[in-house]
Amino acid sequence: MAKTSTTAKTSTNKQNDILARFTELGHEALNRLTDVPGGSKVVDMMNESKARLDEMQKKLRGLDALEKRVTALEKQLAATVKKPAAKKPAARKPKPKPAAPPTNPPA
């Protein structure tokens, strides 16, 4: 069992070393990217994308609060719809006026 534990630690160390090396290579590649023609534009676009993503995340977080408000309003609306309104007596129709006798114009 001691060998299994040692092997697990060794593989974890190797994995960490590989990840650390990969991270270093990534940093080096980004640093070299500015030296390549047009590379600075790529770096600028990546930075702009990051800023836009941050703004989008902030807006999306605000949607949770709006969703809660809409849910509360829906509950209020449902409560008011369920309450029966006081019934008003039906309005009576006025009696029709008697028709006036036809007037014949003097001939």
Side-chain angles (χ1 to χ4, degrees):
M1 257 206 173
K3 287 186 178 183
T4 307
S5 178
T6 306
T7 306
K9 287 180 184 179
T10 305
S11 65
T12 303
N13 288 339
K14 286 181 183 179
Q15 189 176 18
N16 287 340
D17 290 341
I18 291 171
L19 290 176
R21 181 68 182 142
F22 186 72
T23 303
E24 290 173 13
L25 289 174
H27 287 293
E28 289 176 23
L30 287 175
N31 288 335
R32 290 182 187 173
L33 187 61
T34 57
D35 298 336
V36 177
S40 62
K41 288 183 181 180
V42 172
V43 172
D44 290 341
M45 287 187 336
M46 289 189 321
N47 287 334
E48 187 177 325
S49 296
K50 180 187 178 298
R52 287 184 179 179
L53 282 173
D54 289 343
E55 289 175 23
M56 186 64 69
Q57 285 177 342
K58 288 177 185 176
K59 289 179 182 180
L60 287 174
R61 283 188 210 121
L63 286 179
D64 291 335
L66 287 175
E67 191 173 293
K68 288 178 183 177
R69 289 175 57 192
V70 168
T71 303
L73 289 172
E74 287 175 343
K75 287 179 182 178
Q76 287 178 355
L77 179 62
T80 56
V81 170
K82 288 182 181 178
K83 292 180 183 176
K87 293 185 178 181
K88 294 181 181 179
R92 294 186 183 181
K93 293 182 181 179
K95 292 183 181 180
K97 293 181 182 179
T103 56
N104 292 333

